[in-house]
């Protein structure tokens, strides 16, 4: 079993920044593709960003390109999502997810590709 735990959410004014973190444990972190999703209660999860297990490839949903950056630190077993120029429509619960031994980053925009999920962290952006 793999555990993923998000942290770093909070309340920020429009135009501000937050960095959410995802700490992973239980298996070999370097073999997991890591992704970020967001969700309003009662709705389907929306893909936000993903980074390959090698760290060489990333992909983003169009609405966050140029504003959000996904990264990972192998030594700390941690993935990050840096969120800049936040907008009220970015308000959601943000979830970290891990997928074991996935090689094609373009396929990782689907929540069905992920094996493990964190509990979520709330991000609220005020006008």
């Amino acid at each position: 079993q793999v555990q993923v735990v998000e942290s770093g959410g909070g309340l920020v004014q429009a135009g501000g920044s937050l960095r959410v973190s995802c700490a992973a444990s239980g298996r070999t972190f370097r073999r997991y593709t890591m992704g970020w999703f967001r969700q309003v209660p009662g709705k389907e999860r929306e893909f936000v960003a993903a980074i390959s297990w090698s760290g060489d490839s990333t992909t983003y949903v169009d609405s966050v390109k140029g504003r959000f950056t996904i990264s990972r630190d192998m030594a700390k077993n941690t993935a990050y999502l840096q969120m800049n120029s936040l907008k009220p429509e970015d308000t959601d619960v943000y979830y970290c997810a891990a997928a074991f031994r996935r090689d094609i980053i373009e396929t990782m925009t689907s929540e069905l590709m992920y094996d493990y999920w964190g509990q979520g962290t709330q991000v609220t952006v005020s006008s």
Side-chain angles (χ1 to χ4, degrees):
Q1 291 290 317
V2 171
Q3 289 187 335
V4 291
V5 180
E6 305 97 331
S7 62
L11 192 154
V12 64
Q13 287 187 312
S17 298
L18 283 174
R19 188 190 196 187
V20 289
S21 301
C22 175
S25 64
R27 295 291 182 183
T28 304
F29 178 75
R30 64 183 177 87
R31 296 292 182 91
Y32 283 85
T33 298
M34 304 299 296
W36 286 96
F37 291 75
R38 59 189 182 185
Q39 185 177 29
V40 176
K43 303 296 183 181
E44 294 295 317
R45 286 174 180 158
E46 176 193 23
F47 171 77
V48 179
I51 186 166
S52 64
W53 65 265
S54 67
D56 293 333
S57 300
T58 60
T59 188
Y60 301 87
V61 67
D62 286 345
S63 62
V64 308
K65 288 180 179 178
R67 300 189 297 122
F68 291 11
T69 303
I70 188 171
S71 62
R72 67 193 300 164
D73 186 335
M74 296 296 190
K76 299 180 68 175
N77 293 341
T78 301
Y80 305 94
L81 185 69
Q82 177 68 46
M83 302 181 288
N84 298 329
S85 301
L86 283 162
K87 305 174 181 179
E89 50 263 47
D90 295 319
T91 295
D92 276 307
V93 177
Y94 283 71
Y95 294 89
C96 179
F100 187 56
R101 293 180 176 176
R102 301 295 187 182
D103 297 324
I104 305 174
I105 194 65
E106 290 80 6
T107 68
M108 302 310 295
T109 59
S110 171
E111 63 181 315
L112 299 178
M113 299 297 290
Y114 292 86
D115 304 299
Y116 304 99
W117 293 84
Q119 81 288 347
T121 186
Q122 177 70 49
V123 172
T124 302
V125 185
S126 63
S127 300

PDB file of all heavy atoms in Angstrom, residues 93-105:
ATOM      1  N   VAL A  93     -11.262  21.468  -3.737  1.00  0.00           N
ATOM      2  CA  VAL A  93     -10.424  20.556  -2.982  1.00  0.00           C
ATOM      3  C   VAL A  93      -9.429  19.951  -3.953  1.00  0.00           C
ATOM      4  O   VAL A  93      -9.814  19.423  -5.003  1.00  0.00           O
ATOM      5  CB  VAL A  93     -11.242  19.457  -2.290  1.00  0.00           C
ATOM      6  CG1 VAL A  93     -10.325  18.480  -1.569  1.00  0.00           C
ATOM      7  CG2 VAL A  93     -12.233  20.072  -1.306  1.00  0.00           C
ATOM      8  N   TYR A  94      -8.154  20.021  -3.624  1.00  0.00           N
ATOM      9  CA  TYR A  94      -7.099  19.509  -4.485  1.00  0.00           C
ATOM     10  C   TYR A  94      -6.608  18.172  -3.951  1.00  0.00           C
ATOM     11  O   TYR A  94      -6.286  18.037  -2.764  1.00  0.00           O
ATOM     12  CB  TYR A  94      -5.943  20.511  -4.573  1.00  0.00           C
ATOM     13  CG  TYR A  94      -6.255  21.666  -5.498  1.00  0.00           C
ATOM     14  CD1 TYR A  94      -7.180  22.628  -5.126  1.00  0.00           C
ATOM     15  CD2 TYR A  94      -5.645  21.769  -6.745  1.00  0.00           C
ATOM     16  CE1 TYR A  94      -7.499  23.671  -5.986  1.00  0.00           C
ATOM     17  CE2 TYR A  94      -5.952  22.810  -7.599  1.00  0.00           C
ATOM     18  CZ  TYR A  94      -6.881  23.759  -7.218  1.00  0.00           C
ATOM     19  OH  TYR A  94      -7.189  24.798  -8.069  1.00  0.00           O
ATOM     20  N   TYR A  95      -6.548  17.185  -4.842  1.00  0.00           N
ATOM     21  CA  TYR A  95      -6.158  15.831  -4.482  1.00  0.00           C
ATOM     22  C   TYR A  95      -4.878  15.427  -5.192  1.00  0.00           C
ATOM     23  O   TYR A  95      -4.717  15.668  -6.388  1.00  0.00           O
ATOM     24  CB  TYR A  95      -7.247  14.831  -4.876  1.00  0.00           C
ATOM     25  CG  TYR A  95      -8.534  14.979  -4.120  1.00  0.00           C
ATOM     26  CD1 TYR A  95      -9.532  15.825  -4.578  1.00  0.00           C
ATOM     27  CD2 TYR A  95      -8.756  14.275  -2.942  1.00  0.00           C
ATOM     28  CE1 TYR A  95     -10.722  15.965  -3.889  1.00  0.00           C
ATOM     29  CE2 TYR A  95      -9.938  14.408  -2.248  1.00  0.00           C
ATOM     30  CZ  TYR A  95     -10.915  15.248  -2.718  1.00  0.00           C
ATOM     31  OH  TYR A  95     -12.102  15.379  -2.035  1.00  0.00           O
ATOM     32  N   CYS A  96      -4.001  14.796  -4.459  1.00  0.00           N
ATOM     33  CA  CYS A  96      -2.814  14.183  -5.017  1.00  0.00           C
ATOM     34  C   CYS A  96      -3.095  12.711  -5.300  1.00  0.00           C
ATOM     35  O   CYS A  96      -3.799  12.053  -4.541  1.00  0.00           O
ATOM     36  CB  CYS A  96      -1.647  14.317  -4.041  1.00  0.00           C
ATOM     37  SG  CYS A  96      -0.107  13.578  -4.608  1.00  0.00           S
ATOM     38  N   ALA A  97      -2.543  12.190  -6.389  1.00  0.00           N
ATOM     39  CA  ALA A  97      -2.733  10.798  -6.757  1.00  0.00           C
ATOM     40  C   ALA A  97      -1.432  10.201  -7.269  1.00  0.00           C
ATOM     41  O   ALA A  97      -0.589  10.908  -7.827  1.00  0.00           O
ATOM     42  CB  ALA A  97      -3.821  10.659  -7.823  1.00  0.00           C
ATOM     43  N   ALA A  98      -1.276   8.891  -7.087  1.00  0.00           N
ATOM     44  CA  ALA A  98      -0.081   8.178  -7.511  1.00  0.00           C
ATOM     45  C   ALA A  98      -0.458   6.981  -8.364  1.00  0.00           C
ATOM     46  O   ALA A  98      -1.424   6.278  -8.073  1.00  0.00           O
ATOM     47  CB  ALA A  98       0.725   7.719  -6.299  1.00  0.00           C
ATOM     48  N   ALA A  99       0.310   6.756  -9.430  1.00  0.00           N
ATOM     49  CA  ALA A  99       0.097   5.634 -10.337  1.00  0.00           C
ATOM     50  C   ALA A  99       1.401   4.885 -10.520  1.00  0.00           C
ATOM     51  O   ALA A  99       2.416   5.479 -10.902  1.00  0.00           O
ATOM     52  CB  ALA A  99      -0.434   6.117 -11.685  1.00  0.00           C
ATOM     53  N   PHE A 100       1.362   3.572 -10.270  1.00  0.00           N
ATOM     54  CA  PHE A 100       2.577   2.769 -10.303  1.00  0.00           C
ATOM     55  C   PHE A 100       2.942   2.369 -11.724  1.00  0.00           C
ATOM     56  O   PHE A 100       2.110   1.849 -12.476  1.00  0.00           O
ATOM     57  CB  PHE A 100       2.387   1.525  -9.441  1.00  0.00           C
ATOM     58  CG  PHE A 100       3.619   0.701  -9.258  1.00  0.00           C
ATOM     59  CD1 PHE A 100       4.771   1.255  -8.734  1.00  0.00           C
ATOM     60  CD2 PHE A 100       3.631  -0.638  -9.606  1.00  0.00           C
ATOM     61  CE1 PHE A 100       5.915   0.505  -8.553  1.00  0.00           C
ATOM     62  CE2 PHE A 100       4.762  -1.409  -9.428  1.00  0.00           C
ATOM     63  CZ  PHE A 100       5.903  -0.837  -8.900  1.00  0.00           C
ATOM     64  N   ARG A 101       4.165   2.641 -12.101  1.00  0.00           N
ATOM     65  CA  ARG A 101       4.775   2.190 -13.356  1.00  0.00           C
ATOM     66  C   ARG A 101       3.992   2.591 -14.600  1.00  0.00           C
ATOM     67  O   ARG A 101       3.741   1.774 -15.497  1.00  0.00           O
ATOM     68  CB  ARG A 101       4.981   0.679 -13.324  1.00  0.00           C
ATOM     69  CG  ARG A 101       6.019   0.239 -12.306  1.00  0.00           C
ATOM     70  CD  ARG A 101       6.199  -1.267 -12.311  1.00  0.00           C
ATOM     71  NE  ARG A 101       7.259  -1.689 -11.410  1.00  0.00           N
ATOM     72  CZ  ARG A 101       7.580  -2.949 -11.167  1.00  0.00           C
ATOM     73  NH1 ARG A 101       6.916  -3.927 -11.767  1.00  0.00           N
ATOM     74  NH2 ARG A 101       8.557  -3.243 -10.330  1.00  0.00           N
ATOM     75  N   ARG A 102       3.623   3.859 -14.664  1.00  0.00           N
ATOM     76  CA  ARG A 102       3.001   4.407 -15.858  1.00  0.00           C
ATOM     77  C   ARG A 102       4.057   5.150 -16.665  1.00  0.00           C
ATOM     78  O   ARG A 102       4.794   5.979 -16.121  1.00  0.00           O
ATOM     79  CB  ARG A 102       1.855   5.348 -15.503  1.00  0.00           C
ATOM     80  CG  ARG A 102       0.754   4.692 -14.690  1.00  0.00           C
ATOM     81  CD  ARG A 102       0.043   3.605 -15.485  1.00  0.00           C
ATOM     82  NE  ARG A 102      -1.106   3.096 -14.761  1.00  0.00           N
ATOM     83  CZ  ARG A 102      -1.894   2.126 -15.177  1.00  0.00           C
ATOM     84  NH1 ARG A 102      -1.675   1.542 -16.353  1.00  0.00           N
ATOM     85  NH2 ARG A 102      -2.917   1.730 -14.433  1.00  0.00           N
ATOM     86  N   ASP A 103       4.128   4.868 -17.958  1.00  0.00           N
ATOM     87  CA  ASP A 103       5.211   5.371 -18.799  1.00  0.00           C
ATOM     88  C   ASP A 103       4.811   6.477 -19.762  1.00  0.00           C
ATOM     89  O   ASP A 103       5.679   7.222 -20.224  1.00  0.00           O
ATOM     90  CB  ASP A 103       5.816   4.236 -19.623  1.00  0.00           C
ATOM     91  CG  ASP A 103       6.462   3.171 -18.765  1.00  0.00           C
ATOM     92  OD1 ASP A 103       7.059   3.523 -17.723  1.00  0.00           O
ATOM     93  OD2 ASP A 103       6.370   1.990 -19.143  1.00  0.00           O
ATOM     94  N   ILE A 104       3.528   6.601 -20.085  1.00  0.00           N
ATOM     95  CA  ILE A 104       3.085   7.549 -21.094  1.00  0.00           C
ATOM     96  C   ILE A 104       2.324   8.668 -20.412  1.00  0.00           C
ATOM     97  O   ILE A 104       1.176   8.497 -19.999  1.00  0.00           O
ATOM     98  CB  ILE A 104       2.222   6.865 -22.162  1.00  0.00           C
ATOM     99  CG1 ILE A 104       2.971   5.692 -22.785  1.00  0.00           C
ATOM    100  CG2 ILE A 104       1.806   7.866 -23.234  1.00  0.00           C
ATOM    101  CD1 ILE A 104       2.150   4.863 -23.741  1.00  0.00           C
ATOM    102  N   ILE A 105       2.938   9.834 -20.325  1.00  0.00           N
ATOM    103  CA  ILE A 105       2.361  10.931 -19.553  1.00  0.00           C
ATOM    104  C   ILE A 105       1.033  11.400 -20.138  1.00  0.00           C
ATOM    105  O   ILE A 105       0.156  11.856 -19.396  1.00  0.00           O
ATOM    106  CB  ILE A 105       3.367  12.097 -19.428  1.00  0.00           C
ATOM    107  CG1 ILE A 105       2.917  13.085 -18.353  1.00  0.00           C
ATOM    108  CG2 ILE A 105       3.566  12.781 -20.771  1.00  0.00           C
ATOM    109  CD1 ILE A 105       2.913  12.499 -16.955  1.00  0.00           C
TER     110      ILE A 105
END
